[in-house]
Amino acid sequence: MSLKDWIVSETDDFITLNKPPGLLSIPDREGKEISLKTLLLEKHEKVFTVHRLDRDTSGVIVFAKNEETHRHLSKQFEERQTEKIYVGLVIGSPVNKKGSINKPIAENTVRRGVMIIHQRGKESLTDYELLEDFGIYSWMQFRIHTGRTHQIRVHMKDAGHPIVCDALYGDGKPVLLSSFKSKFKLSKKEEEERPLLNRLALHAHKLKFTGTDGKIFELEAPVPKDIRATLQQLEKRKKK
């Protein structure tokens, strides 16, 4: 797939894309790896970073095309005027069907790049809602009011239900059909089972913000194929 296949919406002021998993939003410190922003700069003269998604998280992300829009959108993100909705698959069944997690997040001083819940951290607020309980896994919706690094992942780990396939905050194990399908048989062509899902099961689903002209934009990135396929198999198992 090329960059144009990822575009959700584009105006003279901004471009929103459905970022694939495994791709950096913006260049890292070394700048050796390709990022969504570097790909955009090959096509656009100027691109400004407004927010970012974790490398392994897929979904909707917005970049500004000029300084005015960059200031305008950045202010909305900082002042929590945007609406950011994520969906994800977590391990286990949460006791409470909906609620809020309000616990400060800080970087681990020993393990760089890993975040922890700590009183010296910054305020972090996540609303969650259970969409479907599959027993071994649960499909959930999250709204984040703050934009801390790994926020949903850290909060869900603390709640005892880490995001599926999260190597940093969970067990990192892929989802295998054989793990929940009783009469699973490997096809003769395959030597080993291919996972249904082997990347972080977290997706930035919807983003709502106001443009410089006061117009409200509600943008949505469809749930990726690998997560949809996993949900379909879990639905089948549930119906039996």
Side-chain angles (χ1 to χ4, degrees):
M1 284 179 82
S2 66
L3 194 64
K4 66 176 189 296
D5 298 317
W6 302 337
I7 295 170
V8 174
S9 174
E10 186 171 7
T11 69
D12 292 339
D13 292 328
F14 65 80
I15 182 166
T16 51
L17 304 109
N18 184 1
K19 184 186 89 64
L23 183 67
L24 290 168
S25 297
I26 61 170
D28 57 4
R29 287 188 186 102
E30 286 81 42
K32 287 173 190 168
E33 274 190 75
I34 202 153
S35 73
L36 193 52
K37 188 175 182 177
T38 49
L39 289 172
L40 282 169
L41 283 167
E42 288 172 11
K43 301 266 190 293
H44 300 272
E45 196 180 319
K46 284 184 179 176
V47 173
F48 299 85
T49 305
V50 176
H51 65 128
R52 65 193 73 175
L53 296 176
D54 292 350
R55 175 209 287 269
D56 298 320
T57 303
S58 55
V60 67
I61 183 169
V62 62
F63 289 90
K65 286 183 175 180
N66 53 59
E67 286 178 19
E68 188 198 349
T69 306
H70 179 235
R71 277 195 302 272
H72 176 78
L73 291 178
S74 297
K75 190 167 182 276
Q76 279 181 71
F77 273 84
E78 279 161 29
E79 294 177 0
R80 305 179 192 179
Q81 293 164 348
T82 55
E83 193 174 292
K84 297 173 278 185
I85 305 287
Y86 288 69
V87 282
L89 202 59
V90 305
I91 293 170
S93 305
V95 177
N96 300 318
K97 303 286 178 259
K98 64 194 302 186
S100 294
I101 300 169
N102 191 353
K103 292 186 176 183
I105 291 174
E107 187 170 16
N108 187 326
T109 50
V110 182
R111 291 178 67 199
R112 292 297 302 273
V114 177
M115 311 305 284
I116 53 168
I117 284 171
H118 198 284
Q119 66 230 32
R120 68 176 160 80
K122 292 177 179 172
E123 187 202 356
S124 309
L125 176 60
T126 306
D127 296 337
Y128 66 87
E129 185 179 345
L130 178 69
L131 300 177
E132 189 146 13
D133 189 339
F134 297 109
I136 45 171
Y137 304 118
S138 294
W139 181 235
M140 296 185 74
Q141 179 177 287
F142 309 97
R143 180 180 177 189
I144 56 170
H145 297 273
T146 46
R148 308 295 170 224
T149 302
H150 303 167
Q151 181 172 319
I152 296 169
R153 297 164 68 184
V154 174
H155 275 168
M156 290 319 293
K157 178 196 176 182
D158 184 71
H161 301 284
I163 302 287
V164 168
C165 299
D166 193 338
L168 211 51
Y169 302 101
D171 60 16
K173 287 178 184 170
V175 178
L176 296 168
L177 189 54
S178 59
S179 67
F180 58 84
K181 189 177 178 183
S182 55
K183 291 176 183 170
F184 176 80
K185 278 193 178 77
L186 196 62
S187 80
K188 290 189 175 93
K189 291 177 197 165
E190 293 180 290
E191 285 177 25
E192 59 179 322
E193 184 182 354
R194 283 175 62 194
L196 281 171
L197 192 66
N198 61 355
R199 58 95 175 179
L200 188 73
L202 187 62
H203 178 69
H205 191 35
K206 294 175 185 175
L207 180 63
K208 184 177 173 183
F209 58 83
T210 310
T212 48
D213 56 357
K215 186 182 169 186
I216 292 171
F217 291 89
E218 290 189 59
L219 303 162
E220 189 174 313
V223 175
K225 213 156 121 183
D226 54 357
I227 296 181
R228 283 203 321 269
T230 306
L231 291 172
Q232 279 171 349
Q233 291 296 341
L234 289 166
E235 290 277 4
K236 279 185 195 173
R237 173 186 180 265
K238 194 177 178 181
K239 282 172 184 162
K240 283 180 181 175

